[in-house]
């Protein structure tokens, strides 16, 4: 590992930062304590510029190398999840109902470690732009930072991100060229029929039956409308009626769900077809349907040349790199940054831990030297 010794020395310090973030989780854009600590640390490192409030509560720290060269963006996310922690750790969340259940505390700490190292050594040409992003977990903080002019303001030419991954051994990296994580859209449906007494269904238009047919029919989009290699998921996740009585056929049923796709053309088709299926099914059964489809995070798309570079750096650090990891139907708003600049997104192993978004999840601090080294080496090797 090119910077193994230094990060081994720094490990207790970086771990302390990580565990402090873990004990004080914050959600979405409300990451004021976290952002303030990131800002103070980056200024103490001697970064050339540290700017708060990018994308509402994001932080950007700029570190200049020895001479001219490429401007490399390095991104970590800061926000936690609305989950009640069940780890029993001595540094567990102190905030009921909030938890770092996705390892963003580890991502932030690893990038801070890289920033400290780069500011100390300046052993590179060009500029490192360290991006600490809020609101990855559903708020679109990456979109907001891009909309705030971050890429243009600091002249970012390429951008890289990292996420820990349970199930991959610590010290191992995983990546793939092209589509790595899915676009995530969501839909709301209001089905209106004719409510009435459950003992007289003939006088009603039963919206529960309509909803059942709609839910089943939506599965034909993946099974019969899209090429089996096209990678699409359509899931109805919420069914709500306007009655909770045992003997009432409800007037209205609401459905909520998500669509995951890996190809923009498939995404466009599914958006159109979903409305056709819902409205047509409702009409056939005597009900009315109103569909509200909302685009979410785009596909996370790794550029070929940048993916190859990320693999080279990862291999130099650990020698353990899966270059063709299976694509995931989860979503990631780093995609907004990759839509603006070429770059790549990589997984770093978190070992045999609970899966992310689980109340027993915990980031493995043994992954810190690998992650911090990769961040730093991406700048040193590119300058």
């Amino acid at each position: 590992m090119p910077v193994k010794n230094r990060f081994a020395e720094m490990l207790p310090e970086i771990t302390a930062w990580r565990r402090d973030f873990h004990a004080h989780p914050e959600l979405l854009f409300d990451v004021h304590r976290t952002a303030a600590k990131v800002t103070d640390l980056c200024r103490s490192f001697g970064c050339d510029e540290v700017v708060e409030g990018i994308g509402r509560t994001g932080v950007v720290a700029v570190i200049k190398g020895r001479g001219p060269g490429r401007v490399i963006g390095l991104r970590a996310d800061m926000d936690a999840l609305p989950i009640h922690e069940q780890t029993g750790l001595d540094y567990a969340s102190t905030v009921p109902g909030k938890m770092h259940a996705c390892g963003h505390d580890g991502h932030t700490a690893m990038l801070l470690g890289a920033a400290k190292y780069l500011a100390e050594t300046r052993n590179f040409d060009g500029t490192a732009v360290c991006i600490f992003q809020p609101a990855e977990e559903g708020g679109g903080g990456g979109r907001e930072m891009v909309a705030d002019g971050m890429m243009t303001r600091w002249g970012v030419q390429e951008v890289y991100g990292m996420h820990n991954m349970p199930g991959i051994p610590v010290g191992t990296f995983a990546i793939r060229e092209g589509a790595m994580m899915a676009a995530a859209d969501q839909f709301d449906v209001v089905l209106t029929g004719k409510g009435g007494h459950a003992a007289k269904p003939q006088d009603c238009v039963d919206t529960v039956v309509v909803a059942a047919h709609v839910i089943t029919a939506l599965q034909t989009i993946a099974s019969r409308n899209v090429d089996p290699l096209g990678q699409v998921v359509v899931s109805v996740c919420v069914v709500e009626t306007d009655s909770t009585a045992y003997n009432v056929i409800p007037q209205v049923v609401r459905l909520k769900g998500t669509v995951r796709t890996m190809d923009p053309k498939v995404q466009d088709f599914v958006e159109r077809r979903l409305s056709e299926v819902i409205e047509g099914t409702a009409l056939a059964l005597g009900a009315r349907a109103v569909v509200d489809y909302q685009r979410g995070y785009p596909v996370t798309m790794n550029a070929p040349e940048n993916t190859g570079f990320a693999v080279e750096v990862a291999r130099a650090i650990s020698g353990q790199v899966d270059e063709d990891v299976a694509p995931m139907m989860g979503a990631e708003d780093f995609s907004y940054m990759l839509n603006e600049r070429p770059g790549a997104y990589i997984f770093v192993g978190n070992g045999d831990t609970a899966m992310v978004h689980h109340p027993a999840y915990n980031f493995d601090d043994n992954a810190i030297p690998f992650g911090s080294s990769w961040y730093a080496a991406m700048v040193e090797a590119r300058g």
Side-chain angles (χ1 to χ4, degrees):
M1 190 190 323
V3 288
K4 179 177 181 179
N5 292 338
R6 184 65 183 115
F7 283 113
E9 295 167 2
M10 292 170 60
L11 182 56
E13 182 179 23
I14 301 173
T15 297
W17 301 335
R18 202 280 294 182
R19 294 183 178 188
D20 178 73
F21 293 137
H22 189 92
H24 302 91
E26 297 174 299
L27 305 183
L28 296 171
F29 291 99
D30 188 23
V31 291
H32 301 287
R33 181 190 185 277
T34 305
K37 179 161 185 170
V38 166
T39 299
D40 290 344
L41 285 170
C42 288
R43 287 175 176 159
S44 74
F45 302 157
C47 295
D48 297 285
E49 185 179 4
V50 182
V51 181
E52 303 171 85
I54 304 301
R56 294 165 61 175
T57 49
V59 179
V60 172
V62 179
I63 306 163
K64 297 185 180 298
R66 300 165 301 188
R70 297 189 67 77
V71 182
I72 309 298
L74 303 171
R75 175 269 204 172
D77 33 19
M78 299 188 289
D79 58 321
L81 283 159
I83 295 175
H84 185 74
E85 183 163 352
Q86 298 177 23
T87 63
L89 295 166
D90 57 3
Y91 54 86
S93 172
T94 60
V95 185
K98 298 180 184 180
M99 175 192 175
H100 269 293
C102 203
H104 296 187
D105 51 343
H107 305 162
T108 297
M110 289 190 295
L111 184 53
L112 283 169
K116 180 174 182 177
Y117 169 84
L118 292 169
E120 285 177 351
T121 60
R122 309 279 175 160
N123 188 30
F124 62 95
D125 293 324
T127 303
V129 179
C130 298
I131 302 163
F132 298 91
Q133 181 206 303
E136 191 282 324
E137 297 290 358
R143 177 186 60 232
E144 295 301 308
M145 293 189 84
V146 168
D148 223 355
M150 174 183 69
M151 297 298 189
T152 302
R153 179 171 175 177
W154 283 284
V156 175
Q157 294 172 288
E158 50 196 81
V159 64
Y160 299 92
M162 181 193 301
H163 202 292
N164 79 94
M165 184 53 61
I168 298 176
V170 171
T172 298
F173 293 89
I175 193 170
R176 70 178 292 109
E177 181 183 315
M180 185 161 171
M181 299 186 73
D185 300 339
Q186 63 188 38
F187 56 89
D188 291 88
V189 180
V190 178
L191 300 170
T192 303
K194 182 180 178 183
H197 199 291
K200 301 188 70 177
Q202 72 276 12
D203 294 334
C204 305
V205 175
D206 191 337
T207 46
V208 173
V209 172
V210 174
H213 280 274
V214 165
I215 293 167
T216 300
L218 286 176
Q219 299 314 305
T220 65
I221 296 176
S223 66
R224 290 297 178 267
N225 297 147
V226 175
D227 186 318
L229 301 178
Q231 296 172 310
V232 57
V233 173
V234 179
S235 294
V236 177
C237 301
V238 176
V239 181
E240 298 175 336
T241 74
D242 63 354
S243 171
T244 59
Y246 287 97
N247 60 350
V248 172
I249 291 174
Q251 178 87 1
V252 175
V253 172
R254 292 176 174 83
L255 309 178
K256 299 177 185 288
T258 185
V259 172
R260 305 296 172 108
T261 52
M262 285 289 191
D263 184 321
K265 291 181 180 178
V266 174
Q267 184 182 24
D268 291 341
F269 171 80
V270 174
E271 178 177 359
R272 181 179 70 254
R273 185 62 181 150
L274 182 135
S275 292
E276 292 172 351
V277 168
I278 294 172
E279 292 168 0
T281 302
L283 181 62
L285 296 173
R288 291 180 292 110
V290 176
V291 181
D292 179 21
Y293 191 100
Q294 306 115 40
R295 290 286 180 108
Y297 295 173
V299 176
T300 302
M301 190 75 68
N302 285 341
E305 192 271 339
N306 304 86
T307 303
F309 173 58
V311 168
E312 290 177 14
V313 171
R315 184 174 290 114
I317 290 168
S318 76
Q320 302 296 318
V321 184
D322 180 354
E323 300 180 44
D324 192 29
V325 67
M328 295 180 58
M329 299 309 284
E332 166 59 63
D333 83 340
F334 184 62
S335 55
Y336 290 108
M337 298 186 192
L338 289 176
N339 280 355
E340 294 295 316
R341 296 293 188 271
Y345 190 67
I346 197 167
F347 295 135
V348 62
N350 199 58
D352 186 18
T353 63
M355 184 48 68
V356 294
H357 291 223
H358 189 281
Y361 167 85
N362 185 42
F363 180 86
D364 189 334
D365 293 318
N366 293 308
I368 287 172
F370 296 95
S372 291
S373 295
W374 184 83
Y375 275 131
M378 291 297 286
V379 174
E380 290 181 328
R382 201 63 160 172

